[in-house]
Every structure is written in structure tokens, then in C-alpha cells.
Amino acid sequence: MEEREECSFIFTKSAKEDILDLLDKKVGDRGTIVEKDNPEQEVLSFESQELSLEEFGGVQKGSEVFISNNIVSLMKLAKKG
Amino acid sequence: MVGALDRLKGLFNIDINSPIINVVYKKNSDNTTNSHNEVEYNKSERKLDVILDNISPEKNEKLKPIIGELINEDHKLLEEETADSLRGLIEYNENPGEDTQIKKFFKDILQPLDYEALESALYLRKKFAEGNDVSKAKRDLRERFGDRGGNIANLCTGGYFEDFLKPLYNSSPDKFKQLYESIVGKSIIAIFVHKNMDEDEIAYQLSTKITACKKYGIDFLHIRGIGQSNVQKIKEFIEEHKDEFDFDDKMIYESDDKGIIMVELLLDS
């Protein structure tokens, strides 16, 4: 099995909306993250909560699982390893 | 098979043999110099900056599936402060040190959401003790759990889980159950003075909490503050209002270098 290169991928706070665009998402009228092609569809965090741009902390595998930057959410993520 | 990182290098014609260990997606506003380059490589840090506002719309469209691919390869794509926080949390969980005991003790005693709050509060306490700014973490707890989250953060930092709640449970689980909600939900054993709290609010809390503590047979109440202005606020309040409230005596514990004050009011219960 091919080894995956160890590399971290991060983005700056100012690049958040550009990253969302690259993921075909955007900030909707209510200030939460929505699908670009279907703004009625909210993008939920891995805890099934709506995410504002401010709360948006990143994405991980699992059909694009969105991550909140709230410390309680990050603690759950950290425990998974 | 070509991985996402190789495809990223290919998209920007990056001919670098040395490994890249950090890819940072950023804007020109993040740089001190206004670069027109799409990418910049720092060899010593093995860091590749991708400057998103310098990328053409056509290339942006080609970047999209590469981003999708790197996520599929199980890389996380994280905002930089989030990445720092997550790293800190993983390190902490690998070695919680003294916090292991208190986590183990309360894991099966507290309701799951309270335990979740306590876990984060313990980390917050550790970072605070190390001199870090924990205001966001505190806001996060309040945002997630309301006033209860803030109370748990304050009680945890003040050592009340170890020094009061654990001994209380050990001496009487029934009394613990009786008092827990008032202590954690309403913080009856301590007033945590913050910058937005005025004299009237301190007086109100003092009055209601003295009554509550006496009702439950608790013979003390603490007034706590961190930071010079809060320390000063508490000192002035105690001096100006000492005759108004029904407590027997007080002890003042102050740490100048840490900017912390705790006033212990002894109650005749």
C-alpha cells in the first residue's frame, strides 16, 4: 500500500471564504455555510450543527466533514486521534 | 498512483525535490510583501504558500478537485489557529498529567454534557496556568453550554472540582446530588467577578448566594477575580460594603504576581 506523505494543509483566517469556494460552499444569507449550488442546504459540522464563517475551522474526510473551531468540538476531534 | 500533493505541485509547475511538510493557503493580505506569485516555497521550513488571490479562475477550477482529493486521502484541511488548538488538545490528551485523576473521578458521576464541559475546562485551566489567552476557549464553553459552561470553567480553574466537589461526593454522594445543581448551575459557592460586572451585580450575587449557601449548610462563599482591575474592584467593594452583608469573617488571599484575589467569607450556617 502506498504511504501517504506526511504534510499539513492549513489556511489562514483571511482565506476562509476562498477555501469554502474551492469546496463549492459559501456563506448564506443567514451567515451560515451553505452549498453554493443549493443555498437552502445548510452545511453541518460533524456534530450536526450549523456553522458560521467565524466558527468554521476546517474540513476532514468523511464526505467532507466540516469542523467547528469551538474548543468543545476540537476536544472531541482530538480524542478520536 | 499520483497523490494530491504531487498533483498540486504539477498544477503550479513546482519542481521541488525536497519534501513539503506544510502547505498554507493564504491571501496577499497575509503577506508583508505584495507578491504576484501563485506559490512561494520556503526551503528551510519546507513550507509551500499558495496565494489564492493570485490564482487565475481557470487554475482555481483545477485546484478544486485536488483539494477534494487531499481530503479524501485523509488529510485535514484546517484554519491555522484551529490547527494549533487541535495540536495542543491532542498533546494534552496524550498526557493529561494530574488532570487524569479528576477526569477519572468524575467521568461516571457527571452527566455526559457536564463531563464534556469539564474536559475542555481542564484544558483551558492548563493553558491559563501556562500564561496563554483563554478568552476564546471560555467563550466557546459559554456558547456551547450557556452560563453552565462558564460556571464549570470558572469552578474548574478555581480548583473547586478537586477541593470541594470531590471531597463532598466522597463524604456523601446524596449531599453531592442535592447540592450539585446549585453549585454548577448557579455557582452558589463563588462569585467570579469579571470586567463587565458592576457593584450592583456583585451586591446582588453576594446577597442571593449568601442566602443559598446558608440554606444548604455551606459555611463559606468566595469572591474571586483575575486581573488588576477586577482585584481592585473586589477590594473596593469589600471595603465599602463590609457592614451590609451577613457574614462572620473574611480571609483575603491575594497573589500580586499572578493578579489573582480570592476573598473567603465565612458564614454562620
Side-chain angles (χ1 to χ4, degrees), chain B residues 5-170:
Chain B
L5 186 54
D6 286 326
R7 286 187 60 195
L8 188 71
K9 288 181 190 176
L11 179 66
F12 295 108
N13 299 316
I14 300 165
D15 185 17
I16 302 165
N17 288 326
S18 46
I20 295 172
I21 62 169
N22 291 300
V23 175
V24 181
Y25 297 96
K26 61 198 316 186
K27 306 280 292 241
N28 258 319
S29 55
D30 293 315
N31 280 344
T32 50
T33 54
N34 201 4
S35 171
H36 296 292
N37 296 331
E38 293 176 326
V39 294
E40 286 180 349
Y41 178 63
N42 181 318
K43 192 173 179 182
S44 60
E45 291 179 28
R46 293 182 285 174
K47 182 166 77 85
L48 181 74
D49 286 347
V50 179
I51 305 165
L52 294 169
D53 33 5
N54 292 347
I55 298 173
S56 67
E58 295 77 27
K59 205 165 254 186
N60 211 51
E61 284 304 305
K62 291 181 184 174
L63 183 55
K64 281 186 186 180
I66 297 176
I67 298 283
E69 213 179 296
L70 71 88
I71 292 166
N72 248 359
E73 286 176 5
D74 212 13
H75 294 286
K76 289 184 179 60
L77 175 59
L78 297 172
E79 187 268 322
E80 58 188 345
E81 284 179 17
T82 302
D84 284 342
S85 298
L86 187 60
R87 196 175 309 120
L89 284 160
I90 290 171
E91 280 170 13
Y92 169 75
N93 283 337
E94 282 168 357
N95 184 16
E98 288 173 2
D99 291 346
T100 307
Q101 290 303 318
I102 207 69
K103 287 167 83 165
K104 206 169 154 185
F105 185 86
F106 282 108
K107 190 169 188 342
D108 295 325
I109 292 172
L110 301 186
Q111 291 297 313
L113 290 182
D114 277 4
Y115 183 74
E116 245 181 62
L118 178 62
E119 281 186 308
S120 293
L122 285 165
Y123 178 72
L124 185 161
R125 179 171 77 178
K126 178 177 185 288
K127 297 316 274 184
F128 177 70
E130 290 169 359
N132 294 293
D133 177 7
V134 294
S135 50
K136 183 192 181 292
K138 192 116 176 250
R139 274 197 312 274
D140 284 351
L141 275 160
R142 281 196 185 280
E143 192 228 79
R144 188 58 61 92
F145 301 113
D147 284 345
R148 193 179 191 86
N151 290 343
I152 288 174
N154 287 331
L155 290 166
C156 178
T157 300
Y160 291 95
F161 279 87
E162 288 96 333
D163 299 338
F164 185 77
L165 288 168
K166 182 178 172 188
L168 178 63
Y169 186 88
N170 282 336

Side-chain angles (χ1 to χ4, degrees), chain B residues 187-204:
Chain B
S187 184
I188 63 167
I189 60 174
I191 299 168
F192 297 97
V193 174
H194 55 78
K195 65 180 183 198
N196 297 326
M197 199 184 267
D198 62 18
E199 208 176 297
D200 289 342
E201 175 63 24
I202 298 173
Y204 173 75

